[in-house]
Amino acid sequence: MPRHSETKYRLVTTFQRRLNALVRRLPGHTLLETTGRTSGLPRRTPVGGRRVGDAFWLVSEFGERSQYVRNIKADPHVRIRLHGHWHTGTAHLLPDDDPLTRLRTLPRMNSLAVRTVGAGLLTVRVDLAD
């Protein structure tokens, strides 16, 4: 990874750790809950995306470097909190999907942030069971 991308990754993830600790507490924000690949504990990450039918779509700004993507690779069973209600589902990483095209179908402000700070974008689809 080029040095600029690595610096960007470190700055953004440091900022996000602090911000996410606050955002996770907001009742209306969308959360993705994965199972920690090492600890086995629930890990909740604020995400931006959109439900389309029985699927929830999002784009990971750092692709396979994102901790929640690593957790999904270890165990794809997840939960999504949408509008205050939890939904179970199975996450699928879609490296063949065009994440920039996908971002055009997702909420604008989140998509702008992902395009601005991201490197190595990766589409994720969660098939909702309920």
Side-chain angles (χ1 to χ4, degrees):
M1 177 174 278
R3 185 169 185 203
H4 172 73
S5 295
E6 182 62 28
T7 302
K8 183 179 185 180
Y9 171 78
R10 287 182 185 197
L11 287 172
V12 171
T13 55
T14 299
F15 172 75
Q16 284 179 334
R17 267 189 223 106
R18 290 182 174 93
L19 179 65
N20 288 351
L22 298 172
V23 174
R24 276 192 294 266
R25 294 182 175 95
L26 298 176
H29 206 283
T30 302
L31 294 179
L32 171 67
E33 183 180 84
T34 60
T35 301
R37 62 193 177 281
T38 303
S39 68
L41 298 173
R43 300 296 183 203
R44 293 180 177 174
T45 305
V47 294
R50 174 169 283 140
R51 183 176 184 163
V52 178
D54 290 333
F56 183 82
W57 292 86
L58 66 123
V59 173
S60 169
E61 61 222 340
F62 290 109
E64 295 196 17
R65 292 191 75 184
S66 296
Q67 297 301 317
Y68 70 87
V69 170
R70 291 176 176 185
N71 290 341
I72 288 169
K73 288 176 83 172
D75 181 358
H77 299 94
V78 300
R79 293 193 322 152
I80 296 273
R81 186 180 77 183
L82 296 168
H83 309 293
H85 296 90
W86 286 99
H87 304 271
T88 59
T90 304
H92 304 276
L93 306 177
L94 305 172
D96 293 332
D97 190 70
D98 180 0
L100 294 175
T101 300
R102 181 67 56 193
L103 283 170
R104 288 189 208 111
T105 69
L106 301 178
R108 265 189 207 161
M109 292 307 291
N110 182 73
S111 294
L112 176 63
V114 169
R115 277 193 306 273
T116 302
V117 303
L121 305 178
L122 175 66
T123 302
V124 179
R125 184 188 75 230
V126 177
D127 294 331
L128 302 172
D130 55 358

